[in-house]
Amino acid sequence: GAVVSQHPSRVICKSGTSVKIECRSLDFQATTMFWYRQFPKQSLMLMATSNEGSKATYEQGVEKDKFLINHASLTLSTLTVTSAHPEDSSFYICSASLDTQYFGPGTRLTVL
Amino acid sequence: GQQLNQSPQSMFIQEGEDVSMNCTSSSIFNTWLWYKQDPGEGPVLLIALYKAGELTSNGRLTAQFGTTRKDSFLNISASIPSDVGIYFCAGSRNDYKLSFGAGTTVTVRA
């Protein structure tokens, strides 16, 4: 149990375009999901907390207009990277909260 | 979130060895978690600890929640090649946000 999926697993896009990443809890409902970013050889850094039916809470330094989060149902949260630039290239990982946090497999974003 | 102090940063293991890693914090956590991450994958939960002093095992893995609630350790007994990867400790308080350690990279010694 407690399986979390992400789609796509990897995406390459041109600078200036927007990219949407989906996070789904497959076998449980999650009122709260989290979005992390991980750079090579570094730890996970929390970007935002996604709450079903309400606005996301962003960590300090994370631009809410650039990283749009929507948590429209108890099993789906989406992260949209708007007007992506090469510095946004990273590994984005979501987690869904049950008794603790269970992580998705991650999405590798490369912005050319 | 606040970074935890995780050590060692890296270690080389020989098959059959016992290995240990730990995390410390300057502040108290209510929950300690240990995750393993393979390259290109998301972290996988290994052990969750909810009470100070709790000692929990999961197969060859054993972890303890320190009595001060400011530290935790993870032991791997009789290591095998598939134990290689990056191990992260994480702590949370009442808001369910996780603070992560920097990770311990485990590599097999040639």
Side-chain angles (χ1 to χ4, degrees), chain A residues 11 23 29 31-32 40 43 46-48 56 66-67 93 109:
Chain A
V11 56
C23 178
Q29 293 183 327
T31 306
T32 305
S43 188
L46 179 65
M47 298 175 66
K66 181 167 185 61
F67 299 100
I93 313 174
L109 171 63

Side-chain angles (χ1 to χ4, degrees), chain B residues 9-101:
Chain B
Q9 184 177 3
S10 62
M11 62 169 61
F12 291 87
I13 63 170
Q14 201 142 27
E15 190 171 351
E17 281 183 340
D18 295 346
V19 298
S20 182
M21 59 196 77
N22 68 83
C23 261
T24 61
S25 170
S26 59
S27 55
I28 288 172
F29 286 99
N30 295 329
T31 302
W32 282 92
L33 305 162
W34 286 92
Y35 290 89
K36 178 174 184 274
Q37 186 178 29
D38 292 328
E41 300 289 332
V44 174
L45 181 66
L46 299 175
I47 293 180
L49 302 159
Y50 299 104
K51 291 182 183 178
E54 180 181 354
L55 183 71
T56 298
S57 293
N58 178 7
R60 293 178 296 104
L61 307 177
T62 301
Q64 184 157 32
F65 190 147
T67 54
T68 64
R69 296 166 66 192
K70 294 181 180 181
D71 64 306
S72 177
F73 70 75
L74 174 71
N75 286 343
I76 306 172
S77 63
S79 55
I80 60 177
S82 62
D83 289 334
V84 300
I86 304 176
Y87 292 78
F88 289 101
C89 64
S92 73
R93 298 185 180 85
N94 295 324
D95 60 0
Y96 305 109
K97 287 190 196 178
L98 294 182
S99 296
F100 279 86

Side-chain angles (χ1 to χ4, degrees), chain A residues 34 36 38 42-46 49 59 91 93 97 99-106 108, chain B residues 1 3 31 33 35 37 40-43 45 48 50 88 95-98 100-103:
Chain A
F34 300 87
Y36 295 82
Q38 185 179 35
Q42 292 189 22
S43 188
L44 286 76
M45 295 301 295
L46 179 65
T49 303
E59 295 300 298
F91 193 51
I93 313 174
S97 187
D99 52 335
T100 184
Q101 287 188 35
Y102 296 89
F103 286 84
R108 172 74 59 194
Chain B
Q3 281 279 321
T31 302
L33 305 162
Y35 290 89
Q37 186 178 29
E41 300 289 332
L45 181 66
Y50 299 104
F88 289 101
D95 60 0
Y96 305 109
K97 287 190 196 178
L98 294 182
F100 279 86

